[in-house]
Amino acid sequence: MIDYLIVGSGLAGISFAEEALAHQKSILVIDDSSQNSSKIAGGFYNPVILKRFSEVWQAKQQLEVMDEFYIKLEKKLDIVFNRKMPILRKFFSTEEQNNWFAASDKISLEPFLSTKLITTKYDGIDSPHDYGEVLHTGYVDTSKLLEAYHSYLRSIDSFLEDRFEYDVLEINSNSVQYKNIEAKHVLFAEGFGLASNPFFSDLPLDGTKGELFIIKAPNLNLDVIVNTSVFILPLGDDLFKVGATYNWSDKTDVPTAEGKIELVDRIKEIINCDFEIMDHFAGVRPTVKDRRPLLGTHHTYKQLHILNGLGTRGVMLGPAMAKDLFNFIENNEALDPVIDIYRFYKKRK
């Protein structure tokens, strides 16, 4: 009997897998590659919601857990995927500058918003009102991370590339049986694939489609992440990842003409040099209306658990939420009520 059968191997799934392995638990991860939001994600981590100049929920704690988690994982996998890099918010007016400085006076934001204007002039971008710098930022090459971690799981015979068949799962009093696999627990981390999960499909996972580009812009000289209406993230060799759009009605991972037009228009608002679209991606983020993750145990079947709803911040949220859920399952440590799925079931009583 294994300890955990983990369904899904995006950021949520691998975060929990690594947390379980760190505590000497046996695991098997099953995934059919049907969900791609983690793989194509922008991957940058940012403790501030720049649209509203407000702190990301529990940003300090998440960054602390994230840093320790990725340092250990880079050493374990012998790769570098976490790159510290400044995020600059381009100001479009003096009023935006003033709003920035007002926000930086708040106790919750003071550690994250620099009070020194960045006046650097980057080739390819007009910036008459300069930039504000967000501190403690960077990006994770999620595609590189997931590829390396999947290879590691294969090397320890803990990865199964297959579609999970929910109707085959047998739930017993203290374990579950899935085909020839017996496990103490099942952890569902399928992202937007949750919509097909009969055990947790009643949870309000909305799903928000996002589209991104890889562009080539030889005249754009940028060694930082610029974040305004879209982000521009330098990849090297004159390549940049740019995104993202938000579509709440289309639940497919197919790039659209409308998304392309929107991204092109937004890019032209920020840069003034020519660029070529090298690739166009789309994926559905696992988002929740109250902007909090979905963690917990099934109300009837105590062997079934969920880690989902990481939305646009999977890089930051994944390690911390996996740690919380593991401690909840193994050590009976209470979950924060704002992330516990019971918050939705409670409302229905």
Side-chain angles (χ1 to χ4, degrees):
M1 184 189 297
I2 62 171
D3 292 304
Y4 287 94
L5 176 60
I6 300 171
V7 183
S9 64
L11 289 167
I14 70 166
S15 294
F16 191 88
E18 187 60 17
E19 184 70 23
L21 289 172
H23 288 85
Q24 291 75 51
K25 300 297 182 180
S26 54
I27 67 168
L28 177 66
V29 179
I30 181 169
D31 197 339
D32 63 357
S33 301
S34 63
Q35 303 300 315
N36 68 345
S37 63
S38 289
K39 185 176 181 180
I40 70 164
F44 64 89
Y45 45 93
N46 171 13
V48 181
I49 301 171
L50 291 174
K51 186 176 181 180
R52 301 188 295 274
F53 292 151
S54 57
E55 180 192 7
V56 169
W57 172 73
Q58 291 192 345
K60 184 175 183 294
Q61 299 95 311
Q62 289 173 30
L63 286 173
E64 289 174 354
V65 175
M66 182 199 77
D67 282 338
E68 180 182 1
F69 181 85
Y70 290 142
I71 287 170
K72 290 181 179 178
L73 200 51
E74 283 186 327
K75 184 176 181 180
K76 177 176 181 172
L77 300 176
D78 194 25
I79 61 170
V80 176
F81 56 79
N82 181 19
R83 303 185 184 277
K84 303 293 184 179
M85 185 177 290
I87 291 179
L88 302 187
R89 169 65 153 82
K90 178 183 171 180
F91 296 131
F92 289 89
S93 65
T94 303
E95 182 183 6
E96 282 194 339
Q97 285 184 358
N98 293 336
N99 291 340
W100 176 276
F101 288 119
S104 68
D105 284 337
K106 298 178 181 178
I107 294 176
S108 62
L109 293 175
E110 185 270 335
F112 305 126
L113 297 182
S114 172
T115 55
K116 181 181 178 181
L117 282 177
I118 303 300
T119 59
T120 305
K121 301 302 178 186
Y122 296 100
D123 294 342
I125 302 182
D126 288 329
S127 55
H129 298 284
D130 302 320
Y131 306 88
E133 180 180 358
V134 186
L135 307 175
H136 309 294
T137 60
Y139 83 95
V140 168
D141 186 333
T142 55
S143 180
K144 185 177 183 180
L145 166 59
L146 292 176
E147 182 179 356
Y149 201 80
H150 293 168
S151 295
Y152 163 71
L153 289 173
R154 292 186 188 96
S155 74
I156 61 171
D157 294 324
S158 294
F159 192 69
L160 178 61
E161 297 178 68
D162 199 4
R163 182 177 69 87
F164 188 82
E165 300 176 48
Y166 301 97
D167 58 348
V168 176
L169 184 66
E170 299 177 18
I171 304 171
N172 304 314
S173 56
N174 294 307
S175 66
V176 299
Q177 186 77 32
Y178 179 73
K179 298 182 178 179
N180 64 337
I181 304 160
E182 188 177 12
K184 294 179 182 177
H185 306 276
V186 182
L187 184 280
F188 291 107
E190 315 112 305
F192 189 63
L194 181 70
S196 301
N197 185 326
F199 302 106
F200 291 105
S201 59
D202 58 342
L203 290 172
L205 189 76
D206 293 333
T208 307
K209 182 173 182 174
E211 301 190 43
L212 303 91
F213 287 161
I214 302 295
I215 66 170
K216 187 165 189 176
N219 296 320
L220 180 58
N221 178 26
L222 200 60
D223 58 356
V224 298
I225 302 169
V226 172
N227 193 359
T228 57
S229 57
V230 292
F231 67 81
I232 302 178
L233 190 160
L235 301 175
D237 298 323
D238 300 325
L239 296 175
F240 301 85
K241 182 179 283 189
V242 182
T245 62
Y246 290 82
N247 186 316
W248 290 269
S249 57
D250 184 354
K251 307 299 183 182
T252 72
D253 59 4
V254 179
T256 65
E258 294 80 9
K260 181 177 181 179
I261 292 170
E262 181 180 345
L263 279 179
V264 168
D265 288 344
R266 291 189 179 186
I267 293 170
K268 289 180 177 178
E269 291 175 354
I270 303 170
I271 69 176
N272 57 18
C273 59
D274 293 334
F275 62 90
E276 179 184 0
I277 300 170
M278 307 301 292
D279 218 333
H280 183 183
F281 304 102
V284 182
R285 313 172 186 92
T287 53
V288 186
K289 284 184 179 179
D290 66 4
R291 305 185 184 214
R292 295 291 181 266
L294 300 172
L295 276 69
T297 296
H298 194 273
H299 52 82
T300 302
Y301 305 117
K302 303 310 177 185
Q303 303 93 323
L304 308 186
H305 317 278
I306 182 172
L307 174 54
N308 210 314
L310 303 188
T312 61
R313 302 186 183 276
V315 162
M316 269 182 67
L317 276 170
M321 296 300 98
K323 189 181 189 73
D324 286 353
L325 183 59
F326 183 85
N327 285 330
F328 170 72
I329 298 170
E330 294 290 338
N331 304 318
N332 202 29
E333 293 184 14
L335 291 169
D336 187 324
V338 303
I339 61 175
D340 192 331
I341 57 173
Y342 183 68
R343 69 190 189 269
F344 295 110
Y345 296 125
K346 186 177 181 181
K347 292 175 182 177
R348 297 170 191 165
K349 289 186 177 181

